[in-house]
Amino acid sequence: MAKKTIRTIPQERTPIPEQPAAERVNNFDEVALGYRAEDALREAERCLLCPDPACVLACPVAIDIPGFIEQITLGDPHAAYDILTEANLLPAICGRVCPQEDQCELVCPVGDTLEPVAIGRLERWVGDQALTEGWQSTPDIEPQPFTVAVVGSGPASLACAADMAKAGCAVTVYEALHEPGGVLRYGIPEFRLPNRIIDAEIENLTRLGVRVECNTLVGRIFTIEQMVEQMGFDAVFIGTGAGSPRFMGIPGESLHGVLTANELLTRCNLMGALDFPRHDTPVDIGSRVAVIGAGNTAMDALRVSLRAGAEHVYCVYRRSRDESPARDEELLHAEQEGIEFHWLTAPIEILGDDDGRVRAIRCQSMALGEPDESGRRRPVAIAGSEHDIEVDTVVYAIGTKANPVIGQTSRIDLDDRGYLRADDDLATSLAGVYAGGDIVTGAATVILAMGAGRRAASAMKAYLGIRDTDVVYRDRSAPEERIFGIDPGERNHVRLRLPAPGPSDRVPATTVAMTTRGDTT
Ligand code: FAD
């Protein structure tokens, strides 16, 4: 085959079909409809199959990206799926929600001249094929005499549970809510990530023998210490996330009509709030909603408010569009749908009526000053610029904190921000107890949480004396373990560390600096 060059590949990035904005604001169906086979093949042809691929180093779980894309060009999506799932158990999910533009696609050399290869869309296409066709990468599991508990059921926990089940342990996942999936389920709306995709991926896990116990708030029903000392678990993983809300501390926050984004999203996505009276948990957001913040969570809250019936939905953000931490795609979709953006606008008070309900939000206009510690230009208040925006509901989307229950009810050491303290192997201060994902790093991303779950599983196997190579796959050799770590103090700047060469012949030590753009203010 002739070597591909930038001149010989298809020049245009293959567009992904989308529901038109005017239609989609009236439903929760998926916005991006996914590639057809011919689209995937055409886009895969744009990959130069670099022998020394930067995209693999920029992927937090080091997927063999040229490897899976080449299989698409060869007409073997099943082989592409096998390659993908060596590193990433949830390709249909990550293909939809990973910030590829800041990771693999950012360093794609095609992007130096043209638009980069649409790696995320190709990952999604392969993941969807697998779900449609019922493909599974089934390992031969050699049973081990160990029981493992996993607390929480977000991506960190799902990844850890899968690896421990494949290693032969009896795994039970305990989830506080009545449905598993963590933020994937209660936070990210169906129009970005349909529940059927999450259900299918969790079903794959139960096929490996993992038991999922919902409605179980660990720390209140039983403690971590009881799990180890009385319930007989040989090892425990904690992936309880960072869903606790943050407020600004301005007057009026206790008025009726002030919500947090996670509260709004959980009610709509998980509690059937929009299906009243079939579900008895309605949300009354009125016709004008202001969402404070401009990260991904804010975009979700804005777009859900629109679909929940609000006529005017305002995004209020103290910095400019350029500093918005949201993914470009989410921002663009919100703009297309008619969200009204108040950039360089900082709320200073929430005003109420005589019944204690929100009636307006008082704001101040801002100008951009010198860069602050986050590298973005600091917003500076413009004197005399106070103005009111009349609203019925105010939604806070300015970031979150650690879910506190485990910290309050166990002896595990916490860091000074209240997150669980874990060492490089993600071991906590309690023997046999590991932790990872947002509860250790602070709010990050799905793929980073999954990578942490896998890294903890690797350490748990070592703790229990199970060799990683005990995982034997029927149709291919054992997956190469790739790991990374996060400096807990770096809120918006996550360093990816692939491991140093060691006895298990891991990939060479490399450090890649990446920016994760959380929902910061
Ligand atoms: P979580 O997903 O938070 O899961 C933690 C689970 O633990 C929850 O189910 C919780 O109920 C449960 N739990 C908590 N305490 C207990 C307890 N005591 N006992 C039992 N269970 C407990 N990232 C992306 O990469 N792309 C996106 O597009 C994206 N969009 C997002 C949109 C929103 C609205 C939000 C909030 C986040 C988004 N993120 C996104 C971030 C990403 O979802 C998180 O970083 C990721 O889900 C963290 O995974 P986790 O497993 O650590 O925790």
Side-chain angles (χ1 to χ4, degrees), residues 323 344 366-372 376-381:
E323 284 89 27
L344 290 168
M366 313 295 277
L368 289 179
E370 294 301 310
D372 62 17
R376 297 173 297 173
R377 290 178 65 193
R378 185 188 301 277
V380 183

Side-chain angles (χ1 to χ4, degrees), residues 177-180 185-186 265-273 279:
L177 296 172
H178 60 278
E179 296 270 1
R185 173 89 61 181
Y186 77 74
L265 293 168
T266 304
R267 278 162 166 264
C268 294
N269 297 338
L270 188 71
M271 312 286 289
H279 290 80

Side-chain angles (χ1 to χ4, degrees), residues 232-278:
F233 286 109
D234 298 296
V236 176
F237 174 78
I238 304 170
T240 46
S244 204
R246 273 180 200 278
F247 290 91
M248 294 175 69
I250 58 176
E253 286 179 343
S254 57
L255 287 166
H256 186 60
V258 178
L259 298 171
T260 66
N262 274 357
E263 183 181 355
L264 173 76
L265 293 168
T266 304
R267 278 162 166 264
C268 294
N269 297 338
L270 188 71
M271 312 286 289
L274 304 178
D275 200 12
F276 181 77
R278 275 207 322 142

Side-chain angles (χ1 to χ4, degrees), residues 394-509:
V394 175
V395 181
Y396 272 79
I398 57 167
T400 51
K401 297 183 287 191
N403 280 344
V405 177
I406 300 296
Q408 290 165 352
T409 57
S410 80
R411 295 190 307 273
I412 295 174
D413 285 352
L414 306 181
D415 69 15
D416 49 13
R417 302 173 306 151
Y419 291 89
L420 301 189
R421 200 186 285 282
D423 68 13
D424 284 349
D425 283 334
L426 298 181
T428 69
S429 55
L430 285 187
V433 179
Y434 295 75
D438 285 5
I439 189 60
V440 171
T441 58
T445 63
V446 171
I447 193 79
L448 287 169
M450 284 178 56
R454 298 204 70 196
R455 180 178 168 196
S458 185
M460 289 162 83
K461 284 184 246 176
Y463 171 77
L464 296 172
I466 306 170
R467 284 179 305 126
D468 264 354
T469 48
D470 288 346
V471 182
V472 179
Y473 286 78
R474 267 189 212 123
D475 52 355
R476 57 170 186 267
S477 56
E480 195 179 27
E481 202 72 59
R482 314 267 183 151
I483 61 173
F484 62 90
I486 297 168
D487 288 345
E490 295 186 321
R491 192 173 158 70
N492 285 318
H493 191 71
V494 176
R495 277 184 200 288
L496 169 70
R497 285 191 211 102
L498 300 179
S504 56
D505 280 341
R506 287 172 170 166
V507 292

Side-chain angles (χ1 to χ4, degrees), residues 97 99 151-157 174-177 182-183 187-188 192 216-218 239-241 262 265 297 300 403 405-406 437-438 444-446 449:
V97 303
V151 184
S153 65
S157 298
Y174 292 106
E175 166 56 48
L177 296 172
V183 171
I188 302 180
R192 286 212 292 128
T216 309
L217 182 64
V218 175
T240 46
N262 274 357
L265 293 168
T297 304
D300 286 341
N403 280 344
V405 177
I406 300 296
D438 285 5
T445 63
V446 171

Side-chain angles (χ1 to χ4, degrees), residues 13-303:
R13 186 174 162 113
T14 315
I16 193 163
E18 286 180 355
Q19 253 201 96
E23 272 174 36
R24 67 186 191 233
V25 294
N26 298 311
N27 64 55
F28 274 76
D29 296 342
E30 212 170 357
V31 169
L33 302 175
Y35 277 160
R36 299 162 303 175
E38 57 268 36
D39 298 328
L41 190 58
R42 181 181 181 282
E43 187 58 27
E45 288 295 351
R46 298 182 71 238
C47 178
L48 296 174
L49 305 176
C50 305
D52 199 5
C55 54
V56 179
L57 289 179
C59 169
V61 292
I63 292 172
D64 175 5
I65 292 168
F68 97 79
I69 293 182
E70 184 174 28
Q71 291 303 325
I72 299 177
T73 64
L74 296 173
D76 193 347
H78 198 156
Y81 178 69
D82 284 345
I83 293 172
L84 265 172
T85 48
E86 280 182 12
N88 179 5
L89 303 157
L90 311 173
I93 292 176
C94 292
R96 285 171 166 81
V97 303
C98 266
Q100 294 98 4
E101 65 281 5
D102 286 335
Q103 300 178 352
C104 51
E105 294 178 10
L106 182 69
V107 296
C108 170
V110 173
D112 294 344
T113 319
L114 309 168
E115 274 200 274
V117 177
I119 299 167
R121 293 172 182 179
L122 292 172
E123 181 184 22
R124 170 189 165 155
W125 181 75
V126 174
D128 284 356
Q129 296 304 301
L131 294 178
T132 309
E133 302 289 332
W135 300 333
Q136 255 203 307
S137 300
T138 316
D140 281 334
I141 296 177
E142 188 185 320
Q144 302 282 345
F146 302 116
T147 58
V148 168
V150 171
V151 184
S153 65
S157 298
L158 297 179
C160 182
D163 277 4
M164 295 313 288
K166 286 176 183 172
C169 300
V171 180
T172 306
V173 173
Y174 292 106
E175 166 56 48
L177 296 172
H178 60 278
E179 296 270 1
V183 171
L184 303 175
R185 173 89 61 181
Y186 77 74
I188 302 180
E190 283 241 45
F191 54 79
R192 286 212 292 128
L193 178 59
N195 281 339
R196 66 184 159 76
I197 306 285
I198 307 167
D199 292 341
E201 302 280 29
I202 289 174
E203 203 182 312
N204 284 342
L205 205 62
T206 54
R207 283 204 205 113
L208 293 172
V210 173
R211 282 180 52 210
V212 181
E213 301 263 343
C214 289
N215 299 308
T216 309
L217 182 64
V218 175
R220 300 291 178 211
I221 295 179
F222 43 80
T223 63
I224 298 289
E225 281 84 350
Q226 283 173 321
M227 295 169 91
V228 177
E229 291 160 15
Q230 295 170 25
M231 294 167 71
F233 286 109
D234 298 296
V236 176
F237 174 78
I238 304 170
T240 46
S244 204
R246 273 180 200 278
F247 290 91
M248 294 175 69
I250 58 176
E253 286 179 343
S254 57
L255 287 166
H256 186 60
V258 178
L259 298 171
T260 66
N262 274 357
E263 183 181 355
L264 173 76
L265 293 168
T266 304
R267 278 162 166 264
C268 294
N269 297 338
L270 188 71
M271 312 286 289
L274 304 178
D275 200 12
F276 181 77
R278 275 207 322 142
H279 290 80
D280 55 6
T281 49
V283 275
D284 176 17
I285 57 171
S287 64
R288 297 159 306 176
V289 176
V291 175
I292 304 173
N296 288 318
T297 304
M299 295 305 128
D300 286 341
L302 289 159
R303 298 170 70 199

